[in-house]
Each structure stands twice: as C-alpha cells, then as structure tokens.
Amino acid sequence: MVTNFVSKKAKIGKNVKIWHFTYVGDNTVIGDNVKVGSLAHIDYDVRIGANSMIEGMVYIPPKSRIGKNVFIGPAATLTNDPYPPSQKLVGVTIKDGAIIGSRAVIKAGVTIGNNSVVGMGAVVTKDVSDNVVVIGVPAKITYSRKEYDKKQKKWKCAF
C-alpha cells in the first residue's frame, strides 16, 4: 500500500502529480502542472508556482515561497530557522525559472533570484541575484545563466 499525506487544508492545482510517500501540510498551495517526487516533505504554509518540479527527498519548510517553472533537484533542503531552535521562522524564496541542484542547502530567509541556478551540493547563505549560477560552500557566483544555458545546450547536442 502506497501512502501519501496531503492535508485536506492544502490547495492542489490541476494536473499535479504527487509521488509515493510524500507529505503536503496545511494551508499549502501547489499550482497547476507541478510534479512532486517520492519522499518529498512540503510543510505547512508553502506556495509552489505552476509548472514546477520538486524531485524526491526534497525538504521545503513552512513559509517557503517557490515561483513558477522552478526545478528543485533530489534531496535539496530549504531551511526556515536561521538560529535554531527558535520560534521566529522565515522561509526561503525561490523566484520564477530558478534551478536548485541536488543536495543544495539554502539558509532561512535567503532569496534565489529569477532564472538563477544553485549548483549541486552548494550551501547558500546569502541572497542570489537574478540570472546567475552559484556553486560551492559557501555558494559564490561563478558565471551567468546565459553561459549555463550555452553549456546545457552543448551537453544536449553531444548525444
């Protein structure tokens, strides 16, 4: 028996696919055409925009805001308490078109800009501006999104 928990207080858009063993908390809103992978944990009071893809084992804490057309890779972790444990929580904001690599960690209160890329395994401790690629621990800008797109296109053409 496959079990998901999707709160009755969550609002789920049209054509949303939620895979096995996934949790979706109260007062969460998921836009149309979103895919959520197995073992993802999307806590309460989260917003996810249309056409986004949340891979397996991703943790999205309360108060997180995720834009449209966002990709979050496997086992990425967003946080919401910059000085745990405390009672003052602040979510992560990921703007439209951003890409978050596998196992990236994003500190509470950080904003990832429109169309920016966070490399796999990066630890993001500060806001990321629009249209850049950040990698490393701590994450630092390495090149532009335009350069990323060129590299991706070249990679795809190699097959």
Side-chain angles (χ1 to χ4, degrees), residues 91-110:
V92 166
T93 299
I94 300 174
K95 294 191 174 179
D96 295 348
I99 297 171
I100 310 300
S102 177
R103 294 204 181 274
V105 177
I106 303 173
K107 182 181 176 186
V110 165

Side-chain angles (χ1 to χ4, degrees), residues 55-122:
E55 291 287 345
M57 296 176 35
V58 168
Y59 177 66
I60 303 174
K63 303 184 180 285
S64 296
R65 300 295 182 256
I66 298 168
K68 297 175 184 173
N69 304 302
V70 169
F71 174 85
I72 302 180
T77 300
L78 284 57
T79 65
N80 69 343
D81 190 349
Y83 303 101
S86 73
Q87 298 302 312
K88 187 175 180 182
L89 304 178
V90 58
V92 166
T93 299
I94 300 174
K95 294 191 174 179
D96 295 348
I99 297 171
I100 310 300
S102 177
R103 294 204 181 274
V105 177
I106 303 173
K107 182 181 176 186
V110 165
T111 296
I112 307 299
N114 288 303
N115 303 310
S116 285
V117 178
V118 174
M120 60 184 165

Side-chain angles (χ1 to χ4, degrees), residues 19-94:
W19 292 92
H20 310 306
F21 308 110
T22 296
Y23 175 89
V24 178
D26 290 348
N27 303 317
T28 287
V29 177
I30 298 177
D32 295 341
N33 305 309
V34 170
K35 295 177 185 168
V36 180
S38 296
L39 300 168
H41 184 109
I42 302 170
D43 224 315
Y44 67 89
D45 192 20
V46 170
R47 303 290 178 269
I48 300 173
N51 305 308
S52 292
M53 184 181 296
I54 313 300
E55 291 287 345
M57 296 176 35
V58 168
Y59 177 66
I60 303 174
K63 303 184 180 285
S64 296
R65 300 295 182 256
I66 298 168
K68 297 175 184 173
N69 304 302
V70 169
F71 174 85
I72 302 180
T77 300
L78 284 57
T79 65
N80 69 343
D81 190 349
Y83 303 101
S86 73
Q87 298 302 312
K88 187 175 180 182
L89 304 178
V90 58
V92 166
T93 299
I94 300 174

Side-chain angles (χ1 to χ4, degrees), residues 99 117 133 143-158:
I99 297 171
V117 178
V133 176
Y143 49 91
S144 70
R145 174 64 188 256
K146 186 175 179 180
E147 182 65 23
Y148 176 89
D149 291 342
K150 285 180 188 176
K151 290 174 185 262
Q152 185 184 53
K153 185 176 180 181
K154 185 176 178 182
W155 173 253
K156 287 179 181 178
C157 291

